[in-house]
């Protein structure tokens, strides 16, 4: 995509998509969506609640039972996904602008990362769904036993605001590819882009009711969806406390399946034998500051071997100083606004706490660009952080790096694994034996060696420990949205 100044849309999506209708909330309630770069209102959206969730689930159920989506040949469903991907590509600039306005992400990122990754994810599932096989069992004479992957039915998806389109598509694409219908609730902070995608889905001919999008708050619309007795699964990306709540909702309703992609406190380890300290410093800085630090896999704990510590931290700071917050709509901007005033205040509170706890503030630590009315934070680096401190243990979800020195590779492994989380992890080393040892011993769903955030839709994405369970991306995500059915036919 271009370096042109973005063209602002004449109108914004403003209705929930239920079946083929664009609807307001039944009781007329609305919520305000705000541009984080200016603090000003972008528009009003329906604040859906129980009655609207009932309507959306009924629409999804009706389509599922009618069978005209789930009984389509997988290849035909796949073709519809590919058509939607083409439509998204044709509207990529419009979607990138919506994403930037709503989330505060730089347009350079939404153009070059969010939209291409989202479209690639959709294409991947469009292309793979006709390559999913069942199994034939040993059976025996006069018996044919086979197992098939049956769609689950109605999937409820609840997603966060940090990658509004991408997190949604990691769920929508595999779920509907497998023949399910879906009701998706985006974050109340960032609903615009996925509403537009739901409109495009109808335009390309994906049957009404396959993809319903309800806007609204978590404690109302989200809870109603997760408590609904006609929803077969909740697939979630978001915070740990809400993940726990969703498991309670499941237990209190119909024991729907629950898949959780939660937070992280990912260790990024740099050993003294790292092959390229400049590359590692670049990765360490962008590993925390990319997307304003609002990344579940952010390398928020930087573990540096003591003998290179001073030199390496200086290199990281040199990179960080070049990462300057700016207007997200300016194509030259690489660091935008954090998503909301509440999120900014939460990050500032954690920065203040880290200082009280004795961490050494080396860079940043404050709100910047206040005149804009928006929520901008400077890249922040704390050095000599204790792994027992709140800064090292709790997710900040902002541009705040905690540097933790260590002496030996064993110390690094112990510190890296001493966390409640287990989402991502990484190590820089020039020793192949060390690389394999860390890959084996790091307790995390993803390990990156000599790189950070080496993400691809072909590989599973998800966490160990309190980072959740279930996987997005890869073929594993398709199976997540299906039940296994065993069939035995007896004959003579
Ligand atoms: P959040 O948990 O506050 O909200 C996520 C979604 O849950 C939103 O749509 C929200 O409206 C909804 N929600 C809130 N309360 C609810 C309730 N009681 N019932 C049902 N739904 C409810 O998270 P967030 O602040 O939007 O996102 C940040 C979090 O997401 C971080 O913890 C981050 O690590 C995590 N995250 C994880 C991944 C991953 O793949 N592991 C990816 C991105 C973000």
């Amino acid at each position: 995509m271009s370096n042109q100044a973005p063209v602002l849309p004449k109108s914004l999506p403003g209705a929930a998509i239920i079946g083929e209708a664009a609807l307001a909330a039944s009781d007329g309630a609305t919520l305000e969506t705000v541009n984080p770069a200016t603090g000003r209102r972008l528009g009003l959206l329906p604040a859906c609640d129980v009655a609207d969730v009932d309507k959306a689930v009924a629409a999804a159920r009706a389509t599922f039972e009618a069978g005209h989506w789930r009984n389509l040949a997988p290849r035909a469903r796949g073709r519809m996904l590919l058509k939607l991907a083409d439509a998204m590509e044709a509207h990529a600039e419009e979607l990138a602008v919506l994403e930037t306005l709503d989330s505060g992400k730089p347009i350079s990122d939404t153009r070059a990362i969010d939209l291409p990754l989202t479209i690639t994810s959709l294409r991947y599932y469009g292309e793979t769904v006709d390559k999913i096989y069942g199994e034939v069992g040993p059976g025996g004479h006069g018996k044919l036993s086979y197992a098939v992957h049956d769609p689950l039915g109605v999937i409820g998806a609840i997603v966060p605001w940090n990658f509004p389109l991408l997190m949604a598509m990691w769920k929508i694409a595999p779920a509907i590819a497998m023949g399910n219908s879906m009701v998706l609730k985006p974050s109340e902070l960032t609903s615009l882009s996925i509403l537009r995608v739901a409109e495009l889905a109808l335009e390309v001919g994906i049957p009404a009711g396959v993809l319903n999008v309800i806007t609204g708050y978590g404690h109302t619309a989200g809870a109603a969806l997760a408590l609904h007795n006609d929803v077969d699964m909740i697939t979630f990306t978001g915070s740990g406390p809400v993940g726990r709540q969703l498991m309670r909702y499941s237990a209190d309703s119909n024991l729907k399946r629950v898949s959780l992609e939660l937070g992280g406190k990912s260790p990024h380890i740099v050993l003294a034998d790292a092959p390229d300290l400049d590359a590692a410093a670049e990765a360490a800085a962008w590993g925390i500051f990319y997307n304003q630090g609002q990344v579940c896999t952010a390398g928020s704990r930087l573990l540096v071997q003591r003998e290179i510590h001073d030199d390496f931290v200086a290199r990281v700071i040199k990179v960080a100083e070049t990462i300057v917050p700016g207007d997200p709509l300016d194509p030259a901007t690489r660091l935008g606004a954090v998503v909301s005033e509440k999120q900014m205040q939460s990050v500032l509170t954690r920065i203040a706490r880290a200082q009280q706890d004795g961490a050494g503030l080396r860079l940043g630590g404050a709100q910047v660009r206040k005149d804009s009315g928006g929520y901008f934070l400077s890249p922040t680096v704390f050095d000599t952080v204790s792994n027992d401190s709140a800064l090292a243990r709790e997710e900040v979800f902002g541009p705040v790096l905690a540097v933790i020195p260590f002496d030996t590779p064993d110390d690094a492994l112990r510190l890296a694994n001493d966390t409640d989380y287990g989402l991502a992890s990484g190590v820089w080393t020039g020793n192949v034996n060390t690389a394999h040892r860390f890959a084996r011993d790091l307790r995390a769903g993803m390990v990156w060696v000599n790189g950070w955030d080496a993400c691809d839709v072909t590989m599973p994405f998800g966490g160990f420990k309190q980072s959740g369970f279930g996987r997005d991306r890869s073929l594993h995500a398709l199976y997540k949205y299906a039940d296994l059915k065993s069939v035995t036919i007896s004959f003579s």
Side-chain angles (χ1 to χ4, degrees), residues 158-162 167 185-188 218 222-223 236-239 242 246 249 261-263 296 395 397 423 461:
I158 300 177
V159 291
W161 42 259
N162 61 338
M167 295 300 102
K185 194 203 83 64
S187 165
E188 56 275 26
F236 174 71
T237 299
S239 63
V242 176
L246 295 177
Y249 290 151
E261 296 286 352
L262 307 175
C296 53
E395 199 177 32
F397 228 58
L423 191 54
F461 183 103

PDB file of all heavy atoms in Angstrom, residues 158-162 167 185-188 218 222-223 236-239 242 246 249 261-263 296 395 397 423 461, ligand 1:
ATOM      1  N   ILE A 158     -15.536 -13.478  21.144  1.00  0.00           N
ATOM      2  CA  ILE A 158     -15.370 -12.205  21.868  1.00  0.00           C
ATOM      3  C   ILE A 158     -13.899 -11.807  21.714  1.00  0.00           C
ATOM      4  O   ILE A 158     -13.004 -12.594  22.062  1.00  0.00           O
ATOM      5  CB  ILE A 158     -15.742 -12.367  23.356  1.00  0.00           C
ATOM      6  CG1 ILE A 158     -17.214 -12.824  23.482  1.00  0.00           C
ATOM      7  CG2 ILE A 158     -15.533 -11.052  24.109  1.00  0.00           C
ATOM      8  CD1 ILE A 158     -17.681 -13.078  24.909  1.00  0.00           C
ATOM      9  N   VAL A 159     -13.660 -10.624  21.173  1.00  0.00           N
ATOM     10  CA  VAL A 159     -12.275 -10.262  20.830  1.00  0.00           C
ATOM     11  C   VAL A 159     -11.901  -8.891  21.405  1.00  0.00           C
ATOM     12  O   VAL A 159     -12.774  -8.091  21.740  1.00  0.00           O
ATOM     13  CB  VAL A 159     -12.053 -10.316  19.300  1.00  0.00           C
ATOM     14  CG1 VAL A 159     -12.096 -11.760  18.807  1.00  0.00           C
ATOM     15  CG2 VAL A 159     -13.061  -9.474  18.535  1.00  0.00           C
ATOM     16  N   PRO A 160     -10.586  -8.630  21.487  1.00  0.00           N
ATOM     17  CA  PRO A 160     -10.098  -7.399  22.125  1.00  0.00           C
ATOM     18  C   PRO A 160      -9.861  -6.279  21.108  1.00  0.00           C
ATOM     19  O   PRO A 160     -10.175  -6.422  19.927  1.00  0.00           O
ATOM     20  CB  PRO A 160      -8.781  -7.860  22.733  1.00  0.00           C
ATOM     21  CG  PRO A 160      -8.261  -8.836  21.739  1.00  0.00           C
ATOM     22  CD  PRO A 160      -9.459  -9.509  21.139  1.00  0.00           C
ATOM     23  N   TRP A 161      -9.237  -5.214  21.586  1.00  0.00           N
ATOM     24  CA  TRP A 161      -9.095  -4.010  20.765  1.00  0.00           C
ATOM     25  C   TRP A 161      -7.702  -3.850  20.180  1.00  0.00           C
ATOM     26  O   TRP A 161      -7.460  -2.920  19.427  1.00  0.00           O
ATOM     27  CB  TRP A 161      -9.412  -2.772  21.612  1.00  0.00           C
ATOM     28  CG  TRP A 161      -8.824  -2.799  23.011  1.00  0.00           C
ATOM     29  CD1 TRP A 161      -9.492  -3.096  24.160  1.00  0.00           C
ATOM     30  CD2 TRP A 161      -7.464  -2.547  23.405  1.00  0.00           C
ATOM     31  NE1 TRP A 161      -8.637  -3.054  25.233  1.00  0.00           N
ATOM     32  CE2 TRP A 161      -7.382  -2.712  24.799  1.00  0.00           C
ATOM     33  CE3 TRP A 161      -6.304  -2.197  22.706  1.00  0.00           C
ATOM     34  CZ2 TRP A 161      -6.196  -2.546  25.514  1.00  0.00           C
ATOM     35  CZ3 TRP A 161      -5.116  -2.033  23.406  1.00  0.00           C
ATOM     36  CH2 TRP A 161      -5.077  -2.202  24.789  1.00  0.00           C
ATOM     37  N   ASN A 162      -6.747  -4.713  20.525  1.00  0.00           N
ATOM     38  CA  ASN A 162      -5.368  -4.395  20.107  1.00  0.00           C
ATOM     39  C   ASN A 162      -5.084  -4.717  18.648  1.00  0.00           C
ATOM     40  O   ASN A 162      -4.298  -4.037  18.001  1.00  0.00           O
ATOM     41  CB  ASN A 162      -4.345  -5.042  21.034  1.00  0.00           C
ATOM     42  CG  ASN A 162      -4.435  -6.539  21.040  1.00  0.00           C
ATOM     43  OD1 ASN A 162      -5.468  -7.122  20.703  1.00  0.00           O
ATOM     44  ND2 ASN A 162      -3.360  -7.191  21.424  1.00  0.00           N
ATOM     45  N   MET A 167      -7.474 -10.293  15.147  1.00  0.00           N
ATOM     46  CA  MET A 167      -7.947 -11.242  16.176  1.00  0.00           C
ATOM     47  C   MET A 167      -9.321 -11.792  15.789  1.00  0.00           C
ATOM     48  O   MET A 167      -9.609 -12.975  16.009  1.00  0.00           O
ATOM     49  CB  MET A 167      -8.034 -10.567  17.551  1.00  0.00           C
ATOM     50  CG  MET A 167      -6.711 -10.117  18.136  1.00  0.00           C
ATOM     51  SD  MET A 167      -5.530 -11.446  18.393  1.00  0.00           S
ATOM     52  CE  MET A 167      -4.449 -11.223  16.984  1.00  0.00           C
ATOM     53  N   LYS A 185     -18.581 -10.560  18.998  1.00  0.00           N
ATOM     54  CA  LYS A 185     -18.654  -9.276  19.699  1.00  0.00           C
ATOM     55  C   LYS A 185     -17.259  -8.659  19.742  1.00  0.00           C
ATOM     56  O   LYS A 185     -16.385  -9.136  20.462  1.00  0.00           O
ATOM     57  CB  LYS A 185     -19.174  -9.432  21.136  1.00  0.00           C
ATOM     58  CG  LYS A 185     -19.569  -8.071  21.697  1.00  0.00           C
ATOM     59  CD  LYS A 185     -19.560  -8.004  23.204  1.00  0.00           C
ATOM     60  CE  LYS A 185     -18.199  -7.736  23.789  1.00  0.00           C
ATOM     61  NZ  LYS A 185     -17.586  -6.430  23.448  1.00  0.00           N
ATOM     62  N   PRO A 186     -17.072  -7.582  18.964  1.00  0.00           N
ATOM     63  CA  PRO A 186     -15.773  -6.905  19.049  1.00  0.00           C
ATOM     64  C   PRO A 186     -15.682  -6.124  20.351  1.00  0.00           C
ATOM     65  O   PRO A 186     -16.673  -5.967  21.071  1.00  0.00           O
ATOM     66  CB  PRO A 186     -15.799  -5.952  17.854  1.00  0.00           C
ATOM     67  CG  PRO A 186     -17.240  -5.742  17.529  1.00  0.00           C
ATOM     68  CD  PRO A 186     -18.001  -6.945  18.030  1.00  0.00           C
ATOM     69  N   SER A 187     -14.495  -5.613  20.629  1.00  0.00           N
ATOM     70  CA  SER A 187     -14.355  -4.724  21.790  1.00  0.00           C
ATOM     71  C   SER A 187     -15.219  -3.483  21.577  1.00  0.00           C
ATOM     72  O   SER A 187     -15.327  -2.970  20.458  1.00  0.00           O
ATOM     73  CB  SER A 187     -12.904  -4.314  21.962  1.00  0.00           C
ATOM     74  OG  SER A 187     -12.826  -3.215  22.850  1.00  0.00           O
ATOM     75  N   GLU A 188     -15.796  -2.999  22.653  1.00  0.00           N
ATOM     76  CA  GLU A 188     -16.603  -1.777  22.566  1.00  0.00           C
ATOM     77  C   GLU A 188     -15.757  -0.587  22.110  1.00  0.00           C
ATOM     78  O   GLU A 188     -16.286   0.433  21.673  1.00  0.00           O
ATOM     79  CB  GLU A 188     -17.263  -1.467  23.921  1.00  0.00           C
ATOM     80  CG  GLU A 188     -16.321  -1.342  25.108  1.00  0.00           C
ATOM     81  CD  GLU A 188     -15.987  -2.692  25.761  1.00  0.00           C
ATOM     82  OE1 GLU A 188     -16.051  -3.734  25.069  1.00  0.00           O
ATOM     83  OE2 GLU A 188     -15.665  -2.697  26.961  1.00  0.00           O
ATOM     84  N   GLY A 218     -18.733  -5.539  27.352  1.00  0.00           N
ATOM     85  CA  GLY A 218     -18.465  -6.912  27.771  1.00  0.00           C
ATOM     86  C   GLY A 218     -19.442  -7.420  28.811  1.00  0.00           C
ATOM     87  O   GLY A 218     -19.956  -8.531  28.689  1.00  0.00           O
ATOM     88  N   GLY A 222     -21.359  -9.104  25.936  1.00  0.00           N
ATOM     89  CA  GLY A 222     -20.415 -10.226  26.021  1.00  0.00           C
ATOM     90  C   GLY A 222     -20.918 -11.297  26.968  1.00  0.00           C
ATOM     91  O   GLY A 222     -20.902 -12.495  26.654  1.00  0.00           O
ATOM     92  N   ALA A 223     -21.390 -10.855  28.133  1.00  0.00           N
ATOM     93  CA  ALA A 223     -21.877 -11.825  29.118  1.00  0.00           C
ATOM     94  C   ALA A 223     -23.105 -12.564  28.591  1.00  0.00           C
ATOM     95  O   ALA A 223     -23.236 -13.788  28.760  1.00  0.00           O
ATOM     96  CB  ALA A 223     -22.206 -11.107  30.426  1.00  0.00           C
ATOM     97  N   PHE A 236     -12.350 -16.899  22.620  1.00  0.00           N
ATOM     98  CA  PHE A 236     -12.075 -15.605  23.246  1.00  0.00           C
ATOM     99  C   PHE A 236     -10.613 -15.220  23.100  1.00  0.00           C
ATOM    100  O   PHE A 236      -9.715 -16.048  23.246  1.00  0.00           O
ATOM    101  CB  PHE A 236     -12.412 -15.713  24.742  1.00  0.00           C
ATOM    102  CG  PHE A 236     -12.055 -14.493  25.558  1.00  0.00           C
ATOM    103  CD1 PHE A 236     -12.777 -13.319  25.428  1.00  0.00           C
ATOM    104  CD2 PHE A 236     -11.001 -14.525  26.465  1.00  0.00           C
ATOM    105  CE1 PHE A 236     -12.458 -12.184  26.181  1.00  0.00           C
ATOM    106  CE2 PHE A 236     -10.677 -13.396  27.223  1.00  0.00           C
ATOM    107  CZ  PHE A 236     -11.413 -12.225  27.083  1.00  0.00           C
ATOM    108  N   THR A 237     -10.381 -13.949  22.848  1.00  0.00           N
ATOM    109  CA  THR A 237      -9.053 -13.368  23.033  1.00  0.00           C
ATOM    110  C   THR A 237      -9.225 -12.152  23.920  1.00  0.00           C
ATOM    111  O   THR A 237     -10.069 -11.297  23.638  1.00  0.00           O
ATOM    112  CB  THR A 237      -8.418 -12.958  21.696  1.00  0.00           C
ATOM    113  OG1 THR A 237      -8.272 -14.116  20.881  1.00  0.00           O
ATOM    114  CG2 THR A 237      -7.049 -12.344  21.904  1.00  0.00           C
ATOM    115  N   GLY A 238      -8.450 -12.089  24.986  1.00  0.00           N
ATOM    116  CA  GLY A 238      -8.554 -10.948  25.886  1.00  0.00           C
ATOM    117  C   GLY A 238      -7.797 -11.213  27.173  1.00  0.00           C
ATOM    118  O   GLY A 238      -6.843 -12.001  27.210  1.00  0.00           O
ATOM    119  N   SER A 239      -8.249 -10.581  28.220  1.00  0.00           N
ATOM    120  CA  SER A 239      -7.495 -10.618  29.475  1.00  0.00           C
ATOM    121  C   SER A 239      -7.826 -11.857  30.315  1.00  0.00           C
ATOM    122  O   SER A 239      -8.891 -12.478  30.144  1.00  0.00           O
ATOM    123  CB  SER A 239      -7.834  -9.366  30.288  1.00  0.00           C
ATOM    124  OG  SER A 239      -9.202  -9.381  30.609  1.00  0.00           O
ATOM    125  N   VAL A 242     -11.230 -11.792  32.454  1.00  0.00           N
ATOM    126  CA  VAL A 242     -12.438 -12.062  31.657  1.00  0.00           C
ATOM    127  C   VAL A 242     -12.446 -13.526  31.205  1.00  0.00           C
ATOM    128  O   VAL A 242     -13.495 -14.181  31.202  1.00  0.00           O
ATOM    129  CB  VAL A 242     -12.549 -11.081  30.467  1.00  0.00           C
ATOM    130  CG1 VAL A 242     -13.752 -11.436  29.597  1.00  0.00           C
ATOM    131  CG2 VAL A 242     -12.682  -9.650  30.973  1.00  0.00           C
ATOM    132  N   LEU A 246     -15.462 -16.210  31.734  1.00  0.00           N
ATOM    133  CA  LEU A 246     -16.114 -16.968  30.654  1.00  0.00           C
ATOM    134  C   LEU A 246     -16.239 -18.454  31.023  1.00  0.00           C
ATOM    135  O   LEU A 246     -17.222 -19.106  30.669  1.00  0.00           O
ATOM    136  CB  LEU A 246     -15.335 -16.804  29.348  1.00  0.00           C
ATOM    137  CG  LEU A 246     -15.333 -15.374  28.801  1.00  0.00           C
ATOM    138  CD1 LEU A 246     -14.473 -15.275  27.552  1.00  0.00           C
ATOM    139  CD2 LEU A 246     -16.743 -14.884  28.500  1.00  0.00           C
ATOM    140  N   TYR A 249     -19.186 -18.633  33.206  1.00  0.00           N
ATOM    141  CA  TYR A 249     -20.433 -18.524  32.432  1.00  0.00           C
ATOM    142  C   TYR A 249     -20.747 -19.865  31.766  1.00  0.00           C
ATOM    143  O   TYR A 249     -21.903 -20.275  31.697  1.00  0.00           O
ATOM    144  CB  TYR A 249     -20.306 -17.461  31.342  1.00  0.00           C
ATOM    145  CG  TYR A 249     -20.231 -16.023  31.810  1.00  0.00           C
ATOM    146  CD1 TYR A 249     -19.542 -15.073  31.066  1.00  0.00           C
ATOM    147  CD2 TYR A 249     -20.882 -15.599  32.966  1.00  0.00           C
ATOM    148  CE1 TYR A 249     -19.479 -13.744  31.453  1.00  0.00           C
ATOM    149  CE2 TYR A 249     -20.824 -14.270  33.366  1.00  0.00           C
ATOM    150  CZ  TYR A 249     -20.114 -13.350  32.605  1.00  0.00           C
ATOM    151  OH  TYR A 249     -20.062 -12.042  32.995  1.00  0.00           O
ATOM    152  N   GLU A 261      -7.470 -17.270  24.533  1.00  0.00           N
ATOM    153  CA  GLU A 261      -6.159 -16.679  24.202  1.00  0.00           C
ATOM    154  C   GLU A 261      -5.992 -15.476  25.118  1.00  0.00           C
ATOM    155  O   GLU A 261      -6.669 -14.464  24.933  1.00  0.00           O
ATOM    156  CB  GLU A 261      -6.134 -16.209  22.744  1.00  0.00           C
ATOM    157  CG  GLU A 261      -6.270 -17.290  21.716  1.00  0.00           C
ATOM    158  CD  GLU A 261      -5.029 -18.133  21.566  1.00  0.00           C
ATOM    159  OE1 GLU A 261      -3.986 -17.797  22.160  1.00  0.00           O
ATOM    160  OE2 GLU A 261      -5.114 -19.146  20.867  1.00  0.00           O
ATOM    161  N   LEU A 262      -5.115 -15.596  26.105  1.00  0.00           N
ATOM    162  CA  LEU A 262      -5.050 -14.566  27.147  1.00  0.00           C
ATOM    163  C   LEU A 262      -3.731 -13.790  27.075  1.00  0.00           C
ATOM    164  O   LEU A 262      -3.118 -13.709  26.034  1.00  0.00           O
ATOM    165  CB  LEU A 262      -5.275 -15.224  28.513  1.00  0.00           C
ATOM    166  CG  LEU A 262      -6.556 -16.073  28.591  1.00  0.00           C
ATOM    167  CD1 LEU A 262      -6.656 -16.788  29.921  1.00  0.00           C
ATOM    168  CD2 LEU A 262      -7.796 -15.249  28.311  1.00  0.00           C
ATOM    169  N   GLY A 263      -3.326 -13.272  28.197  1.00  0.00           N
ATOM    170  CA  GLY A 263      -2.189 -12.352  28.189  1.00  0.00           C
ATOM    171  C   GLY A 263      -0.833 -13.045  28.264  1.00  0.00           C
ATOM    172  O   GLY A 263      -0.717 -14.265  28.181  1.00  0.00           O
ATOM    173  N   CYS A 296      -0.165  -9.017  22.939  1.00  0.00           N
ATOM    174  CA  CYS A 296      -0.146 -10.080  23.954  1.00  0.00           C
ATOM    175  C   CYS A 296       1.213 -10.780  23.996  1.00  0.00           C
ATOM    176  O   CYS A 296       1.624 -11.259  25.042  1.00  0.00           O
ATOM    177  CB  CYS A 296      -1.263 -11.079  23.695  1.00  0.00           C
ATOM    178  SG  CYS A 296      -1.236 -11.700  22.016  1.00  0.00           S
ATOM    179  N   GLU A 395       0.856  -7.982  33.481  1.00  0.00           N
ATOM    180  CA  GLU A 395       0.822  -7.439  32.131  1.00  0.00           C
ATOM    181  C   GLU A 395       0.554  -5.933  32.197  1.00  0.00           C
ATOM    182  O   GLU A 395      -0.363  -5.496  32.880  1.00  0.00           O
ATOM    183  CB  GLU A 395      -0.308  -8.134  31.370  1.00  0.00           C
ATOM    184  CG  GLU A 395      -0.189  -8.021  29.886  1.00  0.00           C
ATOM    185  CD  GLU A 395      -1.289  -8.798  29.178  1.00  0.00           C
ATOM    186  OE1 GLU A 395      -2.396  -8.890  29.718  1.00  0.00           O
ATOM    187  OE2 GLU A 395      -1.008  -9.310  28.078  1.00  0.00           O
ATOM    188  N   PHE A 397       0.591  -3.969  29.141  1.00  0.00           N
ATOM    189  CA  PHE A 397      -0.100  -3.708  27.881  1.00  0.00           C
ATOM    190  C   PHE A 397       0.071  -2.256  27.450  1.00  0.00           C
ATOM    191  O   PHE A 397      -0.877  -1.545  27.117  1.00  0.00           O
ATOM    192  CB  PHE A 397      -1.578  -4.094  27.990  1.00  0.00           C
ATOM    193  CG  PHE A 397      -2.015  -4.922  26.811  1.00  0.00           C
ATOM    194  CD1 PHE A 397      -1.373  -6.114  26.521  1.00  0.00           C
ATOM    195  CD2 PHE A 397      -3.050  -4.520  25.989  1.00  0.00           C
ATOM    196  CE1 PHE A 397      -1.756  -6.885  25.424  1.00  0.00           C
ATOM    197  CE2 PHE A 397      -3.438  -5.278  24.892  1.00  0.00           C
ATOM    198  CZ  PHE A 397      -2.786  -6.458  24.619  1.00  0.00           C
ATOM    199  N   LEU A 423       3.057 -17.400  27.050  1.00  0.00           N
ATOM    200  CA  LEU A 423       2.599 -17.194  25.672  1.00  0.00           C
ATOM    201  C   LEU A 423       3.778 -17.274  24.697  1.00  0.00           C
ATOM    202  O   LEU A 423       3.935 -18.245  23.973  1.00  0.00           O
ATOM    203  CB  LEU A 423       1.852 -15.855  25.571  1.00  0.00           C
ATOM    204  CG  LEU A 423       1.087 -15.607  24.271  1.00  0.00           C
ATOM    205  CD1 LEU A 423       0.121 -16.732  23.965  1.00  0.00           C
ATOM    206  CD2 LEU A 423       0.338 -14.275  24.323  1.00  0.00           C
ATOM    207  N   PHE A 461      -0.882 -20.571  17.256  1.00  0.00           N
ATOM    208  CA  PHE A 461      -0.653 -19.406  18.114  1.00  0.00           C
ATOM    209  C   PHE A 461      -1.459 -19.589  19.388  1.00  0.00           C
ATOM    210  O   PHE A 461      -2.690 -19.725  19.342  1.00  0.00           O
ATOM    211  CB  PHE A 461      -1.118 -18.145  17.392  1.00  0.00           C
ATOM    212  CG  PHE A 461      -0.868 -16.866  18.139  1.00  0.00           C
ATOM    213  CD1 PHE A 461       0.173 -16.019  17.782  1.00  0.00           C
ATOM    214  CD2 PHE A 461      -1.679 -16.491  19.207  1.00  0.00           C
ATOM    215  CE1 PHE A 461       0.400 -14.838  18.467  1.00  0.00           C
ATOM    216  CE2 PHE A 461      -1.452 -15.306  19.895  1.00  0.00           C
ATOM    217  CZ  PHE A 461      -0.407 -14.478  19.526  1.00  0.00           C
TER     218      PHE A 461
HETATM  219  P1  LIG B   1     -10.610  -7.632  27.904  1.00  0.00           P
HETATM  220  O1  LIG B   1     -10.535  -8.998  28.472  1.00  0.00           O
HETATM  221  O2  LIG B   1     -10.883  -6.492  28.801  1.00  0.00           O
HETATM  222  O3  LIG B   1     -11.757  -7.564  26.791  1.00  0.00           O
HETATM  223  C1  LIG B   1     -11.777  -8.486  25.727  1.00  0.00           C
HETATM  224  C2  LIG B   1     -13.197  -8.630  25.237  1.00  0.00           C
HETATM  225  O4  LIG B   1     -13.961  -9.210  26.291  1.00  0.00           O
HETATM  226  C3  LIG B   1     -13.879  -7.324  24.863  1.00  0.00           C
HETATM  227  O5  LIG B   1     -14.670  -7.531  23.706  1.00  0.00           O
HETATM  228  C4  LIG B   1     -14.749  -7.047  26.077  1.00  0.00           C
HETATM  229  O6  LIG B   1     -15.890  -6.279  25.773  1.00  0.00           O
HETATM  230  C5  LIG B   1     -15.137  -8.452  26.472  1.00  0.00           C
HETATM  231  N1  LIG B   1     -15.574  -8.595  27.876  1.00  0.00           N
HETATM  232  C6  LIG B   1     -15.200  -7.860  28.954  1.00  0.00           C
HETATM  233  N2  LIG B   1     -15.853  -8.287  30.063  1.00  0.00           N
HETATM  234  C7  LIG B   1     -16.641  -9.318  29.686  1.00  0.00           C
HETATM  235  C8  LIG B   1     -17.543 -10.173  30.364  1.00  0.00           C
HETATM  236  N3  LIG B   1     -17.776 -10.067  31.679  1.00  0.00           N
HETATM  237  N4  LIG B   1     -18.173 -11.136  29.660  1.00  0.00           N
HETATM  238  C9  LIG B   1     -17.950 -11.293  28.340  1.00  0.00           C
HETATM  239  N5  LIG B   1     -17.122 -10.498  27.625  1.00  0.00           N
HETATM  240  C10 LIG B   1     -16.459  -9.519  28.291  1.00  0.00           C
HETATM  241  O7  LIG B   1      -9.272  -7.432  27.084  1.00  0.00           O
HETATM  242  P2  LIG B   1      -8.810  -6.153  26.260  1.00  0.00           P
HETATM  243  O8  LIG B   1      -8.450  -5.094  27.240  1.00  0.00           O
HETATM  244  O9  LIG B   1      -9.813  -5.851  25.185  1.00  0.00           O
HETATM  245  O10 LIG B   1      -7.507  -6.718  25.524  1.00  0.00           O
HETATM  246  C11 LIG B   1      -6.280  -6.810  26.158  1.00  0.00           C
HETATM  247  C12 LIG B   1      -6.029  -8.218  26.636  1.00  0.00           C
HETATM  248  O11 LIG B   1      -6.130  -9.128  25.542  1.00  0.00           O
HETATM  249  C13 LIG B   1      -4.634  -8.401  27.182  1.00  0.00           C
HETATM  250  O12 LIG B   1      -4.671  -9.156  28.354  1.00  0.00           O
HETATM  251  C14 LIG B   1      -3.934  -9.169  26.065  1.00  0.00           C
HETATM  252  O13 LIG B   1      -2.835  -9.920  26.489  1.00  0.00           O
HETATM  253  C15 LIG B   1      -5.022 -10.013  25.553  1.00  0.00           C
HETATM  254  N6  LIG B   1      -4.722 -10.496  24.195  1.00  0.00           N
HETATM  255  C16 LIG B   1      -4.370 -11.803  24.026  1.00  0.00           C
HETATM  256  C17 LIG B   1      -4.057 -12.287  22.756  1.00  0.00           C
HETATM  257  C18 LIG B   1      -3.704 -13.731  22.529  1.00  0.00           C
HETATM  258  O14 LIG B   1      -3.877 -14.203  21.418  1.00  0.00           O
HETATM  259  N7  LIG B   1      -3.238 -14.474  23.516  1.00  0.00           N
HETATM  260  C19 LIG B   1      -4.104 -11.430  21.664  1.00  0.00           C
HETATM  261  C20 LIG B   1      -4.457 -10.103  21.870  1.00  0.00           C
HETATM  262  C21 LIG B   1      -4.773  -9.647  23.156  1.00  0.00           C
END
